[in-house]
Amino acid sequence: MKSLLSLALVATGLSAFAQDAAKDPATIVITPQHTLSKNDTAFRKAIAKWSDETLKSTDYKNIKAQPSAEVFPGAVKAGFQFVNKTVSIEHKKMADSLVSIVSTLGYSGYDNATMYSTGLYAKAGEYVEIDVPKNANVNDLEVQIGAHSDRLNYWVAGKEDWRRMPIITKKQQLVIGKNRLASPFGGLIYINVKPKAESRKIDFKISHAVAAPLFVLGKSTQSDWENQLKNNKAPWGEMATENVILTLPDSVLQTIKNPEEVLKLWDLVVLGELDLANMPAPFYRAQRMVPDEHIGGGYMHSGYPIMIHHSPSRKMLSNEIMANPELLMKPSKGGANWGFFHEIGHNMQNLNWVFGGTTEVSNNFFSIYMFDRLMGGRDDSHTGVSSANTQKMMKKYFAEGASYEKWKSDAFLGLIMFRQMQEGFGWESFKAFFKEYQKIGPSIGRLNDQQKRDLWVKTYSNVVKRNLAPFFNTWGVGISEETQKELSGLRAWKPYNFPPVN
């Protein structure tokens, strides 16, 4: 009996020990199959605190791999070898002529440090060494481990069950000489420089890292790509042009037989959106596209980088579409390709022309433009722009009485107004309109919503030489009397059968 009691006590102790281990941020395993409940608020705070402190730590010798990293971002494959590599980074300061334009792109993460790919991966719990030469300018210079920079302890993800650890990206300032650092999660290695920092070219010696695929259009060859994939042990790699950089898992990279075809199509996408926005191309840096198991909010979100959900457990699939030109160009009725165009569109939005209710409207100018220019039309681009839904929304809206509050509450209803303008005056009118706002820049100061609406209709009316104030007013998007008087010398414009009679 005494022996049985002793065994029971030991078992109880082991069980308690296991429970304690499960509540340790350093050892907890969070995966899509083993999520951490949104209701476990105290432990979530403890995990976020531990993650922040560990990722900020410079005590690389005591950084151990966090077991969740085996699943996401993923484990380095067996048989890997650490490599030493000289990586050359050439940073060009953002042109002074672009500063005023870029500073109005409020959803683009324009002030985030530019991430320069190294083609190297840091293994979780293992240090990497970066040797910075004596003559290097280290102002605004840092190293980053990990591409998945979204924090899950706030915004939408803060109220969701976590499918990965909440904070998994490490950044550390670089100094002259040898820099050693380690991350409990591992990740692709980047050299970061602020976009407005002084131009410089630096050759870094990076050691104790794992080679990762990096295909650069115009520099890498097909043979390079095949050899990289054949020998790859890293869980992530990248494909890059001067306009766009795709970060993808090895499982997807291995399926890409023709990287040039994929990248040339993505170049068309980004260049097309820059074309509509009337921005110089190539822009001051490439758009970055990063799929993630769990992001801060939305199916995708804009910024630098653009973050994209790819979570099979949640039936959110993006990776294969990013990597497959046939799927990328297939009308999806609001699927992933609309989402890609939509988020790049957010990065093109000048906040001076984003008034109430149009944050999720005016970025869709770019989605529609991509379908028009790359797919020959917007049929099946999104159910929200179908002919049937367009007529249904308009008739219901005007039957109930036009109202700015109602108009603001439905992005696809709001989009109809701008679609009518595009149908009436063409895409070139939008390009000219955007160019006028670039001339205005941030010097105009902070505008209230009425001032933004007035400036919108005034600028566009002057571009097309017609008075659109009555058109806006009919939609319920009120224009001030002062602006109406100012535009009264132009002939008023409304599309035929508007508001719709039948």
Side-chain angles (χ1 to χ4, degrees):
M1 179 66 73
K2 192 179 287 187
S3 177
L4 289 173
L5 181 60
S6 298
L7 287 171
L9 289 171
V10 169
T12 302
L14 287 172
S15 176
F17 176 80
Q19 289 175 8
D20 289 342
K23 283 290 188 180
D24 182 352
T27 57
I28 183 71
V29 175
I30 304 176
T31 71
Q33 291 71 40
H34 191 268
T35 60
L36 183 62
S37 171
K38 61 187 176 184
N39 298 319
D40 202 346
T41 54
F43 188 39
R44 284 160 68 107
K45 287 180 181 178
I47 291 173
K49 181 181 179 183
W50 176 88
S51 298
D52 273 330
E53 290 175 351
T54 306
L55 288 165
K56 289 176 183 176
S57 173
T58 57
D59 185 13
Y60 67 90
K61 292 180 180 178
N62 288 314
I63 302 297
K64 308 299 181 186
Q66 211 284 343
S68 300
E70 287 282 311
V71 177
F72 194 89
V76 172
K77 295 177 187 175
F80 75 92
Q81 291 183 335
F82 287 122
V83 299
N84 304 328
K85 179 182 177 182
T86 297
V87 176
S88 181
I89 299 299
E90 185 170 5
H91 169 73
K92 292 183 179 179
K93 180 183 178 181
M94 185 193 300
D96 292 341
S97 59
L98 278 180
V99 172
S100 64
I101 296 172
V102 171
S103 64
T104 64
L105 308 180
Y107 303 128
S108 69
Y110 63 86
D111 204 34
N112 291 354
T114 299
M115 300 161 59
Y116 291 95
S117 303
T118 64
L120 294 169
Y121 196 92
K123 189 175 186 297
E126 293 281 353
Y127 77 86
V128 295
E129 182 177 285
I130 301 174
D131 193 354
V132 181
K134 292 181 180 179
N135 61 346
N137 176 359
V138 294
N139 293 331
D140 299 306
L141 188 70
E142 67 180 9
V143 57
Q144 175 174 321
I145 296 177
H148 304 95
S149 52
D150 270 16
R151 299 173 64 97
L152 307 187
N153 60 329
Y154 76 113
W155 198 21
V156 179
K159 301 175 183 177
E160 296 176 327
D161 295 345
W162 288 343
R163 301 189 301 278
R164 66 159 170 84
M165 286 289 282
I167 307 155
I168 60 174
T169 301
K170 179 180 179 66
K171 296 179 182 179
Q172 184 170 306
Q173 292 297 311
L174 287 171
V175 297
I176 299 294
K178 296 185 186 301
N179 299 255
R180 285 191 174 185
L181 68 158
S183 163
F185 308 105
L188 288 167
I189 301 171
Y190 302 93
I191 302 297
N192 292 355
V193 189
K194 284 286 188 179
K196 290 186 281 188
E198 292 302 317
S199 298
R200 69 199 75 170
K201 182 178 180 180
I202 305 176
D203 293 331
F204 301 88
K205 292 180 180 178
I206 304 179
S207 56
H208 210 252
V210 178
L214 175 60
F215 185 94
V216 180
L217 188 65
K219 294 182 179 179
S220 305
T221 66
Q222 182 69 27
S223 177
D224 292 336
W225 180 243
E226 291 170 0
N227 287 332
Q228 287 185 66
L229 294 186
K230 179 181 178 181
N231 299 312
N232 184 42
K233 303 297 182 183
W236 290 82
E238 294 187 317
M239 304 165 64
T241 79
E242 60 185 355
N243 301 299
V244 65
I245 301 170
L246 308 178
T247 303
L248 289 165
D250 175 66
S251 59
V252 175
L253 294 174
Q254 294 291 343
T255 69
I256 299 174
K257 305 305 179 187
N258 189 341
E260 285 196 8
E261 179 188 16
V262 175
L263 288 173
K264 285 179 179 178
L265 179 55
W266 272 103
D267 253 5
L268 278 176
V269 171
V270 174
L271 289 171
E273 301 219 12
L274 288 169
D275 176 59
L276 178 58
N278 224 326
M279 299 286 191
F283 207 26
Y284 71 103
R285 65 181 175 196
Q287 300 287 326
R288 277 190 171 273
M289 315 284 287
V290 180
D292 192 332
E293 171 61 45
H294 200 166
I295 68 174
Y299 179 14
M300 309 178 191
H301 71 71
S302 60
Y304 182 85
I306 292 171
M307 297 302 299
I308 302 160
H309 258 128
H310 179 82
S311 178
S313 68
R314 297 289 299 277
K315 298 182 179 179
M316 292 186 287
L317 305 177
S318 305
N319 289 348
E320 289 77 9
I321 299 170
M322 289 174 66
N324 186 325
E326 184 178 345
L327 293 177
L328 184 59
M329 288 294 100
K330 184 178 180 180
S332 61
K333 296 184 178 180
N337 51 8
W338 174 278
F340 300 143
F341 307 156
H342 171 104
E343 298 304 340
I344 299 171
H346 271 310
N347 281 359
M348 303 294 162
Q349 283 176 301
N350 180 324
L351 293 191
N352 286 332
W353 47 255
V354 178
F355 60 86
T358 64
T359 295
E360 297 296 336
V361 173
S362 52
N363 63 320
N364 282 330
F365 301 168
F366 299 88
S367 301
I368 293 174
Y369 188 68
M370 286 297 93
F371 277 91
D372 282 358
R373 292 293 178 261
L374 294 185
M375 301 185 193
R378 59 194 73 168
D379 292 349
D380 291 330
S381 61
H382 197 293
T383 54
V385 299
S386 69
S387 297
N389 280 334
T390 297
Q391 287 299 310
K392 182 179 178 180
M393 285 188 286
M394 286 183 69
K395 288 178 179 179
K396 183 175 186 294
Y397 176 70
F398 285 105
E400 294 175 350
S403 156
Y404 187 41
E405 291 306 312
K406 288 182 184 176
W407 185 89
K408 289 192 295 183
S409 69
D410 187 334
F412 284 102
L413 174 69
L415 185 59
I416 296 172
M417 184 178 87
F418 298 103
R419 286 167 54 200
Q420 289 175 315
M421 295 162 63
Q422 186 274 321
E423 289 160 4
F425 300 102
W427 284 119
E428 295 304 312
S429 68
F430 280 77
K431 294 178 186 179
F433 169 82
F434 295 146
K435 179 60 71 175
E436 289 302 310
Y437 269 80
Q438 291 173 20
K439 295 175 185 176
I440 295 170
S443 60
I444 195 170
R446 187 178 294 275
L447 303 177
N448 63 34
D449 195 61
Q450 183 64 63
Q451 291 170 325
K452 283 190 175 186
R453 280 179 273 145
D454 286 347
L455 184 59
W456 224 110
V457 75
K458 188 188 308 182
T459 305
Y460 193 84
S461 294
N462 285 324
V463 164
V464 299
K465 307 302 181 188
R466 297 291 294 272
N467 178 7
L468 272 76
F471 172 66
F472 272 62
N473 283 331
T474 302
W475 267 106
V477 182
I479 302 303
S480 70
E481 289 187 11
E482 181 183 354
T483 298
Q484 291 181 61
K485 289 178 182 177
E486 190 175 339
L487 295 174
S488 61
L490 295 172
R491 188 157 59 97
W493 178 86
K494 286 185 186 179
Y496 180 72
N497 190 31
F498 174 78
V501 175
N502 64 347

